[in-house]
Amino acid sequence: VQLVESGGGLVQAGGSLRLTCAASGLTFADHTIGWFRLAPGKEREGISCLSSRDGGTYYADSVKGRFTISSDNAKNTISLQMNSLKPEDTAVYYCAAAATSNSGSVYSRPYNYVYWGQGTQVTVSS
């Protein structure tokens, strides 16, 4: 199984980026998928997840209203649309796949995830 993130980069505050996670060896439609981020000096933060079972989504308060998670089952990709970016959004962003397809805020926790991508850097300048 391999997860590959793309779409990171440098953007000014207030701008937008769209991250995409592509999978090989795994069908996203069978798993709960999460997006996490890791900033220097901070703990890994679960920012969003999408359940394939019921379409349920979760967003951390820090990104609610600005970020949107979505899936494209035909392409087997998961995307994270990030709008109104802030300097505090600067981090390495990772997608991950859980062993199950359940929903709930518990899936904001990294321990629920089995497969991880290598991460993509997002830098937001002020």
Side-chain angles (χ1 to χ4, degrees):
V1 174
Q2 186 176 22
L3 305 182
V4 179
E5 303 94 339
S6 61
L10 173 64
V11 64
Q12 288 187 333
S16 298
L17 284 174
R18 185 177 182 86
L19 305 184
T20 299
C21 179
S24 57
L26 175 146
T27 301
F28 279 144
D30 297 331
H31 299 265
T32 293
I33 305 301
W35 283 98
F36 294 80
R37 66 186 181 186
L38 182 62
K42 296 185 178 180
E43 293 186 354
R44 185 166 41 182
E45 179 187 14
I47 56 173
S48 184
C49 63
L50 172 65
S51 164
S52 62
R53 173 173 295 188
D54 58 12
T57 57
Y58 163 86
Y59 295 97
D61 288 342
S62 58
V63 306
K64 198 172 294 182
R66 300 187 297 122
F67 291 12
T68 304
I69 191 171
S70 61
S71 64
D72 186 331
N73 289 341
K75 295 182 179 179
N76 202 29
T77 58
I78 297 289
S79 295
L80 185 69
Q81 178 66 41
M82 307 188 296
N83 299 328
S84 302
L85 284 162
K86 305 175 182 180
E88 51 263 44
D89 294 318
T90 295
V92 178
Y93 284 70
Y94 301 87
C95 67
T100 67
S101 58
N102 297 326
S103 61
S105 60
V106 67
Y107 284 91
S108 67
R109 308 295 179 87
Y111 63 75
N112 286 297
Y113 293 84
V114 179
Y115 305 107
W116 291 82
Q118 83 291 347
T120 186
Q121 176 71 47
V122 171
T123 303
V124 184
S125 63
S126 57

